[in-house]
Amino acid sequence: MDRSTPLLRVHDLRIGFDLPEGRLVAVDGVSFQIRRGSTVALVGESGSGKSVVSQAIMGLLPRPAKILGGSILFADPEKPGTITDIVRLPVDGREMRNVRGGRISIIFQEPMTSLSPLHTVGNQIREALELHRDVSAREATELTRDMLA
Ligand SMILES: Nc1ncnc2c1ncn2[C@@H]1O[C@H](COP(=O)(O)OP(=O)(O)O)[C@@H](O)[C@H]1O
Ligand SMILES: [Mg+2]
């Protein structure tokens, strides 16, 4: 595996919602890859499945959603030679918790509702650092200040 291996390879992903009125297949065979240092934009009309694909990558699908097939292959540059299929990781397991927020992050839409009046932006950044990096509370505070600066 070299630097040209895509960081993320979504292959033939299918996601359905089991609703009282039946199964709705919201994502039906989506494939794309993200290479190192590149930016990929998912473009589509409202309701076409952009958010659901992103939630699947983060292991954050809402309860009625199920991954019906396909794979999300993550080649973490910090683990050369290993490729992890996110679809197969238990969403609440240690490995997925490490990926989520530690290796792959998401910035949610609509910041006015995503930001919480009870937690400062600095606290939220510091929490991620404390969870995912081996730093003291004081170092986390300093790092957070540096980032915001
Ligand atoms: N919580 C949910 N319950 C049931 N169906 C949902 C839910 N979230 C999304 N869907 C279905 O998945 C489709 C894709 O939604 P979404 O990924 O949010 O679209 P986009 O982000 O492209 O606007 C929607 O059209 C809807 O049918
Ligand atoms: Mg969306």
Side-chain angles (χ1 to χ4, degrees):
M1 196 165 78
D2 54 52
R3 292 184 61 88
S4 67
T5 304
L7 292 175
L8 198 75
R9 203 146 29 114
V10 174
H11 180 69
D12 203 18
L13 188 62
R14 287 171 42 85
I15 302 169
F17 286 85
D18 282 329
L19 305 172
E21 57 272 30
R23 174 172 286 177
L24 181 149
V25 177
V27 172
D28 195 3
V30 166
S31 301
F32 62 91
Q33 40 188 328
I34 305 179
R35 299 192 166 278
R36 247 181 213 237
S38 70
T39 303
V40 172
L42 293 186
V43 179
E45 64 187 82
S46 182
S48 62
K50 306 178 297 292
S51 293
V52 171
V53 168
S54 312
Q55 287 160 351
I57 294 169
M58 297 294 294
L60 289 175
L61 282 172
R63 190 162 286 282
K66 273 199 190 72
I67 298 185
L68 306 173
S71 52
I72 301 173
L73 302 178
F74 176 40
D76 189 342
E78 281 200 348
K79 294 184 186 167
T82 43
I83 292 188
T84 305
D85 187 353
I86 287 176
V87 166
R88 294 174 176 281
L89 292 182
V91 288
D92 290 326
R94 190 187 51 80
E95 211 176 339
M96 192 62 226
R97 284 207 314 269
N98 180 44
V99 169
R100 190 189 307 120
R103 308 300 300 146
I104 306 179
S105 295
I106 188 165
I107 299 168
F108 289 99
Q109 222 167 311
E110 295 169 38
M112 293 310 282
T113 55
S114 299
L115 292 176
S116 158
L118 299 177
H119 306 277
T120 66
V121 169
N123 277 341
Q124 294 184 53
I125 296 174
R126 195 171 49 226
E127 181 184 46
L129 288 172
E130 284 178 356
L131 281 174
H132 295 292
R133 289 211 211 157
D134 187 20
V135 292
S136 68
R138 209 175 124 193
E139 287 165 327
T141 303
E142 271 170 29
L143 272 170
T144 304
R145 270 208 194 110
D146 290 348
M147 288 178 177
L148 289 173

